[in-house]
Amino acid sequence: MDRLVAFDRARQQLLARCTAIAETERVAIEQASGRRLGEACTTAGPYPARAVATTDGLAVNSAEGVGASPYNPLPASGVTAVEPGDALPAGSDAVAPWEEVTAEDGGWMLLGEVDAGQGVCRAGQLLGAGDTALEAGRVLGAGDLALLGALGGRDTICVYRRPVVTMIFAASERDVAHRLLWALLAADGAAIGHRAATTADALAEALSDAAARSDLVLVVGGTGEGRAGIAPQALERAGRLDAHGLALRPGRAAGLGVVVECPVVLVPAEPLAALTVGELLLGPALRLMAGGEEWPHRIISAPLARKAVSALGEFGYVRAAFDGERIQPRPSGTDLDLPLLARTDGFVLIAAESEGHAPGAEVTLYLDRY
């Protein structure tokens, strides 16, 4: 790999082949977490449908408490104990807190005036009939699913389908990289399939088959040079190899191409190299397809405890930890260093035009999402 392809160029080439998925499907609301909403959700009626309590206490008619005080307790009729979310019974328009009432002779006495609407969410106060509750394109979270359930009237919801990813392992047994990549792909909402192919011919056939039914195909392993490099050989036979050998550290043995119209990424099997390719190439590609954020990671900006080093001309991915005050870069001498992942919190990026960041430099730590 004497001539490496610039990482930015390779990334742009991959993303140019990835378009936002337009197909939608209906799924049960309970299965919609993390999915992108395919249509706006509007209310059939007001929400809440009727007045509900927003606090604990007694549902009362506020007119009965006019003039009430600890020195002039007044009786409250037809009161009902309520909790937040309970519908107010007919004839009541407020909730008197427990400290403002007292039990007496089998009934309740008000110890203070209660304003109409106190402790109450009125019918339609939050959403009117026909209002948009959720905009199309929103990635659904737990609160969104709860709202859909509260609105009622639907058991399923329209969402964009997941990007379909096929991982092909260029070995008889899946190596440790597959677990790492699976977590990354799942974090970006991919529907994942897998298979194995151990020869260039079998891999070329598997690539053609997977490309016909996938949005993105990965070949894990077999990305080296010489006789062991069956992945680039197979991609050339099945479609087109656009790049093999990226100016990316770690991850120099990565490659990419296309079979028919399906983008294919060649991923080194070494864990740290696979992680780098997953974070910097696969993640952005999937998020583009799924309509997600380009960089969804939580970040920490802080000074470096010591220099973070990369190679001039190569885009650098450096594992690092945060000690509460400073970012601690922790380089590894091998791409097989899985224990490093347990000792770090995320990664720092170094542009290809730089050899690194000096101690004390303010940098961004992208926190792991898996």
Side-chain angles (χ1 to χ4, degrees):
M1 297 182 187
D2 295 330
R3 300 187 63 182
L4 298 175
V5 177
F7 171 73
D8 285 343
R9 175 186 165 194
R11 184 177 184 275
Q12 290 169 8
Q13 198 167 32
L14 172 64
L15 297 185
R17 295 198 179 105
C18 300
T19 56
I21 291 171
E23 298 93 342
T24 59
E25 60 185 0
R26 298 199 73 85
V27 299
I29 290 178
E30 293 78 10
Q31 298 173 350
S33 179
R35 303 294 296 273
R36 190 161 60 97
L37 192 57
E39 62 184 9
C41 291
T42 57
T43 57
Y47 177 76
R50 57 181 299 183
V52 296
T54 62
T55 186
D56 293 315
L58 289 177
V60 300
N61 185 326
S62 60
E64 296 181 342
V66 176
S69 73
Y71 305 102
N72 183 39
L74 296 176
S77 60
V79 294
T80 302
V82 291
E83 296 180 346
D86 287 346
L88 257 63
S92 59
D93 63 358
V95 176
W98 289 115
E99 60 269 20
E100 294 293 329
V101 298
T102 185
E104 186 176 301
D105 297 330
W108 293 96
M109 303 293 288
L110 294 171
L111 302 179
E113 295 189 356
V114 184
D115 296 329
Q118 180 177 324
V120 174
C121 182
R122 303 184 309 276
Q125 180 177 330
L126 302 179
L127 290 170
D131 282 354
T132 298
L134 297 171
E135 298 281 356
R138 180 179 176 83
V139 177
L140 296 170
D144 301 318
L145 303 189
L147 174 59
L148 291 171
L151 294 177
R154 55 167 67 87
D155 297 319
T156 62
I157 194 71
C158 175
V159 295
Y160 288 95
R161 71 165 176 81
R162 297 180 185 274
V164 176
V165 179
T166 300
M167 285 197 286
I168 306 175
F169 304 100
S172 56
E173 298 292 335
R174 290 179 289 172
D175 51 50
V176 295
H178 93 273
R179 293 184 177 87
L180 185 153
L181 289 170
W182 202 287
L184 285 175
L185 298 172
D188 286 313
I192 311 165
H194 61 87
R195 58 192 298 178
T198 58
T199 67
D201 288 339
L203 184 51
E205 183 178 347
L207 277 168
S208 297
D209 181 63
R213 61 190 71 194
S214 306
D215 298 300
L216 178 66
V217 176
L218 318 180
V219 179
V220 185
T223 64
E225 296 185 277
R227 297 177 62 184
I230 66 170
Q233 298 172 30
L235 183 49
E236 284 186 313
R237 295 180 193 178
R240 187 175 73 246
L241 176 67
D242 291 324
H244 179 218
L246 306 186
L248 176 65
R249 176 173 294 197
R252 299 178 79 197
L256 56 89
V258 61
V259 175
V260 190
E261 296 182 358
C262 180
V264 177
V265 180
L266 309 182
V267 185
E270 296 83 5
L272 294 188
L275 177 62
T276 303
V277 173
E279 290 279 24
L280 303 186
L281 286 176
L282 306 182
L286 285 175
R287 292 190 289 273
L288 180 57
M289 294 178 186
E293 300 178 64
E294 183 176 3
W295 289 104
H297 305 71
R298 291 186 299 118
I299 62 172
I300 294 174
S301 294
L304 279 172
R306 57 181 180 273
K307 185 175 182 180
V309 181
S310 184
L312 188 64
E314 296 186 0
F315 195 88
Y317 173 101
V318 178
R319 297 295 302 178
F322 182 60
D323 64 9
E325 295 182 358
R326 299 178 299 173
I327 294 172
Q328 302 274 357
R330 292 182 177 168
S332 175
T334 172
D335 291 350
L336 300 175
D337 192 356
L338 273 174
L340 177 66
L341 302 184
R343 300 193 301 268
T344 52
D345 303 309
F347 57 91
V348 172
L349 299 177
I350 302 175
E353 298 78 22
S354 171
E355 291 183 320
H357 302 298
E362 190 89 1
V363 298
T364 297
L365 176 65
Y366 296 85
L367 296 174
D368 292 329
R369 299 185 298 134
Y370 47 88

